Each structure stands twice: as structure tokens, then as C-alpha cells.
Amino acid sequence: MTITRQPNDFTPLSEGQVFAFDTGETTPTDVEVQVIDMGSFQTITRQKLFGVTSGEIDVAPYIGRMLDAEPCTDSGSVLKAAPHVCYTVTFNDVRSDKIYTCLNKAVPALPSWLSTMTQQRRLLYGERDEVLLFGPRGSVFEVLLVADAGTDVSLTCAGECGAALFCLDTLDYPEGVRSIEAWFTCNGEELLTIFYTVERDRGTGVRLAWISSAGSIERYTFPIVRNTMQSVVRESITGDDGLPVTVGCTTEQTLRLVSDYERRAVAGAVAEVAQSPKVWRECGRVLSRVEVTTASATLYEFGRPDCVEVDIRTRRREVMP
């Protein structure tokens, strides 16, 4: 029995997690396949292939069930192993190498960072931001946070996985902080620098978090709530007397959010919220799922800033008469 093909680390789930095997025999035989979670050493799934000499199997559907993207809610700035699954596949008694899978939707270079937002970012005091980092197995990631308030923080993450998650929490700093620079290295080599501008919270904006097209979690605060719409949809049937009778109604609340005028790269990243499979409204440490119903982007020529408008459904309730 020989495993002739297996995926590389961080192969996107959308591209499949395909394993191929060859029994090395001319006579067909039965092959038992097991997918094993190396974190818990539990069997994820087991299959039996009858009367084969070779074949292949895609285990991505089983691995995908174990990965669920959600915004980081840790208190304080952290640099830690990114959410991932480490697994192996056995064909009878032959075991594959360990495979690491993350939520990235594109194949990352090693080392690299993953985010659709630019390296110049704006936060309100009290907000958080996050970015994914990738490197070879066993990589040591470090981040040095340098703030104008005079508070420097150094964080380190080392592990076999090779994927790390950084989350910045502005509450680590005094209220007067105006800027924070985050200097990232992988195995001692410069990887990335992010420049944060920290502004005062005016209490009028709505912050959304979403899964980007790259698989990262992105955040943005829409400073303007243009209007709030409350709608009622009634269901009715015709009664015996020929008059309509209400049998149920649904109430919905929708907010229209408007971004600042942003550079094209930022506006493009924010506009992705309309296509995201999951969107959350973030209030402090509290996350609540919302549904984006419509979105539009106004793109100007000649380098003028762009604007994004998003409608989100924050509440939907069915009421029986």
C-alpha cells in the first residue's frame, strides 16, 4: 500500500483535501480509510472501499465541519495559534503525513500574512483588529507593538502549526493613545508592518465583522446610520365570509449603514461584506449575527475617495395572531 498523493499544508478546503493510494496489487482488495484528528486522536470518519487496486478520496467535507470562522473575542492583545485542524488519513495500516488545514481560501506563500484590508488602518478606542500569519511548520512569530503613548508590548507565538492569529485590543492602552505600529517577524525576518490610527469613539457608528474572500476576519466601523426601517409583512387567507383573515405576520428591522469616504483599496475590502457567508455586528465584546440584504459602492474617478452603503437586517420575528 502506497499513498501516492496528499495535500500540502493550508490547501484551501474549496480546492479539496485529496488523497490518492495504490495497493500495489493486481487483485482487487478491500481498503479501510480512516481520517483521524491529531489534536484529540479521535476518528473523524471511517469508510470502506470494496474491491479496489487504487483510488482517491477527498476528505475536505469532513475537515470543514471542524473549522468554524468567528471573530477573536479574547481580552487583551494576543498572538496565538490560528484556528486549524491537524489530521492524518490511514489506508489500512499505512498512515499519511500530518496535514494542517486553516480557514484560508487562497494558497498562502510561506511566510506571508492574510488580510484584505490595507496596512494603514483606523480604529476607534475600544475596538479590536486581527490578521492571520503563515509560515513553515515550527515558525516563531513575533510582534512588537509601539504606541505613541509610550507603551511597548512584545508578543511571541511558537508552534508546529505554522499559522498564527494576531488580535490587537486598543483597551490595552490609555485613552489618550493616538497611534500604534505593529511590527511582525517570522523566524527573525521582517514580515509585515501595520500602522493603526486610533480615534475617539463618538458612539454613533456600527461595527461589522465578516469573513472575507480570502478567509480572514475583517472589521470596519460604519460611522453613519442613515435610517432605521421597521416593516411588517402579513399573511392572510380568505375566510368563510369572503373577507381576509390574518394568520401570521413577520416584523423586520433594517439599518442602512454608510462608510466614510475611503481609498479604493479600503472601500473594495469593505464592499466584500455583501458577499460574505457570515457577518456579525460587534458591540464591545458582544457579537451578534446579522444578514446583509443589499450593498452598493460609489466609486469615483481621478483618485477621489469611495463610499460603501450596506443594509443589514438586525431583527426578524414572526408573530402569530
Side-chain angles (χ1 to χ4, degrees):
M1 177 71 69
T2 304
I3 298 175
T4 57
R5 178 187 174 191
Q6 62 182 32
N8 296 321
D9 287 346
F10 310 125
T11 297
L13 290 171
S14 59
E15 295 185 9
Q17 302 282 301
V18 180
F19 292 78
F21 67 93
D22 192 319
T23 64
E25 304 289 341
T26 57
T27 304
T29 187
D30 297 345
V31 176
E32 184 176 71
V33 183
Q34 292 188 74
V35 183
I36 301 171
D37 176 11
M38 296 305 291
S40 63
F41 296 101
Q42 298 293 314
T43 298
I44 301 170
T45 188
R46 180 184 286 109
Q47 296 183 15
K48 196 158 190 177
L49 308 178
F50 297 95
V52 296
T53 58
S54 63
E56 62 180 36
I57 182 173
D58 182 3
V59 303
Y62 310 105
I63 303 304
R65 296 172 191 167
M66 304 178 64
L67 286 168
D68 189 20
E70 285 196 348
C72 178
T73 56
D74 292 3
S75 295
S77 301
V78 295
L79 180 62
K80 62 181 183 179
H84 67 277
V85 174
C86 176
Y87 71 95
T88 62
V89 178
T90 63
F91 297 86
N92 289 345
D93 296 326
V94 177
R95 183 187 296 269
S96 73
D97 296 334
K98 289 181 180 179
I99 305 296
Y100 287 94
T101 304
C102 199
L103 287 163
N104 54 293
K105 296 182 180 180
V107 179
L110 301 180
S112 66
W113 58 286
L114 186 63
S115 176
T116 56
M117 287 291 187
T118 65
Q119 291 171 250
Q120 301 277 349
R121 307 189 181 192
R122 184 173 66 249
L123 297 176
L124 299 180
Y125 184 74
E127 293 180 343
R128 285 167 294 173
D129 186 58
E130 62 185 86
V131 62
L132 282 169
L133 310 171
F134 291 93
R137 290 188 186 184
S139 291
V140 178
F141 296 97
E142 294 182 88
V143 58
L144 175 63
L145 302 172
V146 180
D148 67 331
T151 305
D152 296 350
V153 178
S154 180
L155 303 172
T156 302
C157 175
E160 184 182 348
C161 172
L165 172 67
F166 166 72
C167 183
L168 172 69
D169 188 343
T170 55
L171 289 178
D172 287 347
Y173 299 89
E175 269 193 71
V177 65
R178 298 289 182 182
S179 65
I180 303 169
E181 294 185 12
W183 303 81
F184 297 86
T185 61
C186 177
N187 297 325
E189 299 294 327
E190 184 177 340
L191 177 61
L192 162 73
T193 303
I194 298 180
F195 302 91
Y196 292 99
T197 299
V198 184
E199 301 175 353
R200 300 309 95 195
D201 187 356
R202 297 178 292 274
T204 58
V206 173
R207 188 160 180 81
L208 297 185
W210 66 93
I211 303 173
S212 76
S213 60
S216 56
I217 297 290
E218 306 297 347
R219 292 173 163 91
Y220 182 83
T221 298
F222 290 81
I224 302 170
V225 180
R226 179 159 290 173
N227 53 42
T228 301
M229 295 180 61
Q230 188 86 26
S231 63
V232 179
V233 178
R234 295 180 178 273
E235 280 187 59
S236 61
I237 61 174
T238 302
D240 295 337
D241 56 1
L243 298 176
V245 177
T246 299
V247 294
C249 65
T250 303
T251 63
E252 294 183 353
Q253 184 181 66
T254 304
L255 301 180
R256 171 157 293 182
L257 311 179
V258 183
S259 76
D260 266 335
Y261 286 97
E262 303 282 4
R263 291 169 294 159
R264 180 67 52 90
V266 175
V270 174
E272 283 191 357
V273 70
Q275 307 161 24
S276 177
K278 286 186 180 181
V279 181
W280 297 265
R281 181 176 180 177
E282 186 174 39
C283 299
R285 303 257 183 259
V286 179
L287 293 167
S288 55
R289 286 285 301 274
V290 296
E291 179 185 356
V292 176
T293 57
T294 60
S296 62
T298 303
L299 306 179
Y300 296 101
E301 299 296 334
F302 310 112
R304 290 174 59 193
D306 305 320
C307 182
V308 178
E309 294 190 19
V310 172
D311 289 340
I312 61 170
R313 181 181 291 126
T314 58
R315 187 172 62 201
R316 181 184 178 94
R317 187 176 62 179
E318 292 187 3
V319 180
M320 300 303 294

